[in-house]
mmCIF file of all heavy atoms in Angstrom:
data_model
loop_
_atom_site.group_PDB
_atom_site.id
_atom_site.type_symbol
_atom_site.label_atom_id
_atom_site.label_comp_id
_atom_site.label_asym_id
_atom_site.label_seq_id
_atom_site.Cartn_x
_atom_site.Cartn_y
_atom_site.Cartn_z
ATOM 1 N N ILE A 1499 26.005 12.907 -44.750
ATOM 2 C CA ILE A 1499 26.965 12.027 -44.057
ATOM 3 C C ILE A 1499 27.016 12.465 -42.622
ATOM 4 O O ILE A 1499 27.063 13.673 -42.336
ATOM 5 C CB ILE A 1499 28.385 12.122 -44.641
ATOM 6 C CG1 ILE A 1499 28.372 11.861 -46.155
ATOM 7 C CG2 ILE A 1499 29.308 11.110 -43.980
ATOM 8 C CD1 ILE A 1499 29.742 11.894 -46.776
ATOM 9 N N GLU A 1500 26.972 11.531 -41.717
ATOM 10 C CA GLU A 1500 27.170 11.933 -40.327
ATOM 11 C C GLU A 1500 28.224 11.056 -39.673
ATOM 12 O O GLU A 1500 28.616 10.011 -40.210
ATOM 13 C CB GLU A 1500 25.853 11.941 -39.537
ATOM 14 C CG GLU A 1500 25.153 10.613 -39.449
ATOM 15 C CD GLU A 1500 23.912 10.737 -38.543
ATOM 16 O OE1 GLU A 1500 24.042 11.225 -37.420
ATOM 17 O OE2 GLU A 1500 22.841 10.333 -39.003
ATOM 18 N N PHE A 1501 28.661 11.493 -38.535
ATOM 19 C CA PHE A 1501 29.788 10.884 -37.855
ATOM 20 C C PHE A 1501 29.307 10.456 -36.474
ATOM 21 O O PHE A 1501 28.773 11.272 -35.718
ATOM 22 C CB PHE A 1501 30.909 11.940 -37.742
ATOM 23 C CG PHE A 1501 32.245 11.433 -37.288
ATOM 24 C CD1 PHE A 1501 32.866 10.360 -37.911
ATOM 25 C CD2 PHE A 1501 32.888 12.048 -36.216
ATOM 26 C CE1 PHE A 1501 34.106 9.932 -37.501
ATOM 27 C CE2 PHE A 1501 34.150 11.630 -35.806
ATOM 28 C CZ PHE A 1501 34.743 10.542 -36.455
ATOM 29 N N VAL A 1502 29.486 9.184 -36.173
ATOM 30 C CA VAL A 1502 28.931 8.633 -34.925
ATOM 31 C C VAL A 1502 29.987 7.795 -34.227
ATOM 32 O O VAL A 1502 30.630 6.950 -34.851
ATOM 33 C CB VAL A 1502 27.721 7.712 -35.235
ATOM 34 C CG1 VAL A 1502 27.152 7.119 -33.951
ATOM 35 C CG2 VAL A 1502 26.642 8.449 -35.978
ATOM 36 N N HIS A 1503 30.139 8.016 -32.942
ATOM 37 C CA HIS A 1503 30.979 7.099 -32.157
ATOM 38 C C HIS A 1503 30.061 6.082 -31.464
ATOM 39 O O HIS A 1503 29.140 6.470 -30.756
ATOM 40 C CB HIS A 1503 31.791 7.879 -31.113
ATOM 41 C CG HIS A 1503 33.123 8.321 -31.657
ATOM 42 N ND1 HIS A 1503 33.318 9.538 -32.246
ATOM 43 C CD2 HIS A 1503 34.317 7.657 -31.724
ATOM 44 C CE1 HIS A 1503 34.581 9.644 -32.646
ATOM 45 N NE2 HIS A 1503 35.222 8.518 -32.341
ATOM 46 N N ALA A 1504 30.302 4.801 -31.719
ATOM 47 C CA ALA A 1504 29.429 3.733 -31.194
ATOM 48 C C ALA A 1504 30.190 2.840 -30.228
ATOM 49 O O ALA A 1504 31.379 2.585 -30.412
ATOM 50 C CB ALA A 1504 28.872 2.918 -32.357
ATOM 51 N N PRO A 1505 29.519 2.359 -29.173
ATOM 52 C CA PRO A 1505 30.189 1.618 -28.101
ATOM 53 C C PRO A 1505 30.265 0.113 -28.392
ATOM 54 O O PRO A 1505 29.256 -0.561 -28.494
ATOM 55 C CB PRO A 1505 29.260 1.844 -26.904
ATOM 56 C CG PRO A 1505 27.907 1.979 -27.521
ATOM 57 C CD PRO A 1505 28.073 2.548 -28.914
ATOM 58 N N VAL A 1506 31.464 -0.395 -28.547
ATOM 59 C CA VAL A 1506 31.639 -1.812 -28.829
ATOM 60 C C VAL A 1506 32.477 -2.461 -27.710
ATOM 61 O O VAL A 1506 33.580 -1.992 -27.399
ATOM 62 C CB VAL A 1506 32.321 -2.030 -30.200
ATOM 63 C CG1 VAL A 1506 32.614 -3.519 -30.436
ATOM 64 C CG2 VAL A 1506 31.426 -1.505 -31.327
ATOM 65 N N TRP A 1507 31.891 -3.471 -27.116
ATOM 66 C CA TRP A 1507 32.619 -4.223 -26.075
ATOM 67 C C TRP A 1507 33.297 -5.436 -26.725
ATOM 68 O O TRP A 1507 32.709 -6.126 -27.542
ATOM 69 C CB TRP A 1507 31.643 -4.715 -25.001
ATOM 70 C CG TRP A 1507 31.197 -3.661 -24.037
ATOM 71 C CD1 TRP A 1507 30.117 -2.828 -24.170
ATOM 72 C CD2 TRP A 1507 31.804 -3.359 -22.764
ATOM 73 N NE1 TRP A 1507 30.024 -2.022 -23.073
ATOM 74 C CE2 TRP A 1507 31.025 -2.320 -22.193
ATOM 75 C CE3 TRP A 1507 32.901 -3.853 -22.065
ATOM 76 C CZ2 TRP A 1507 31.338 -1.780 -20.940
ATOM 77 C CZ3 TRP A 1507 33.193 -3.303 -20.815
ATOM 78 C CH2 TRP A 1507 32.432 -2.277 -20.269
ATOM 79 N N LYS A 1508 34.500 -5.696 -26.274
ATOM 80 C CA LYS A 1508 35.216 -6.910 -26.700
ATOM 81 C C LYS A 1508 35.421 -7.756 -25.452
ATOM 82 O O LYS A 1508 35.943 -7.280 -24.451
ATOM 83 C CB LYS A 1508 36.563 -6.560 -27.324
ATOM 84 C CG LYS A 1508 37.366 -7.780 -27.724
ATOM 85 C CD LYS A 1508 38.573 -7.377 -28.583
ATOM 86 C CE LYS A 1508 39.737 -6.845 -27.752
ATOM 87 N NZ LYS A 1508 40.448 -7.900 -26.997
ATOM 88 N N VAL A 1509 34.965 -8.991 -25.525
ATOM 89 C CA VAL A 1509 35.138 -9.913 -24.399
ATOM 90 C C VAL A 1509 36.038 -11.053 -24.857
ATOM 91 O O VAL A 1509 35.788 -11.686 -25.893
ATOM 92 C CB VAL A 1509 33.758 -10.455 -23.926
ATOM 93 C CG1 VAL A 1509 33.943 -11.500 -22.839
ATOM 94 C CG2 VAL A 1509 32.875 -9.301 -23.449
ATOM 95 N N ASP A 1510 37.080 -11.279 -24.099
ATOM 96 C CA ASP A 1510 38.002 -12.390 -24.396
ATOM 97 C C ASP A 1510 37.683 -13.555 -23.495
ATOM 98 O O ASP A 1510 37.488 -13.359 -22.279
ATOM 99 C CB ASP A 1510 39.455 -11.951 -24.143
ATOM 100 C CG ASP A 1510 39.881 -10.868 -25.116
ATOM 101 O OD1 ASP A 1510 39.946 -11.138 -26.324
ATOM 102 O OD2 ASP A 1510 40.118 -9.738 -24.651
#
Side-chain angles (χ1 to χ4, degrees):
I1499 306 182
E1500 61 176 308
F1501 190 53
V1502 180
H1503 271 93
V1506 175
W1507 283 88
K1508 177 169 80 73
V1509 176
D1510 294 295

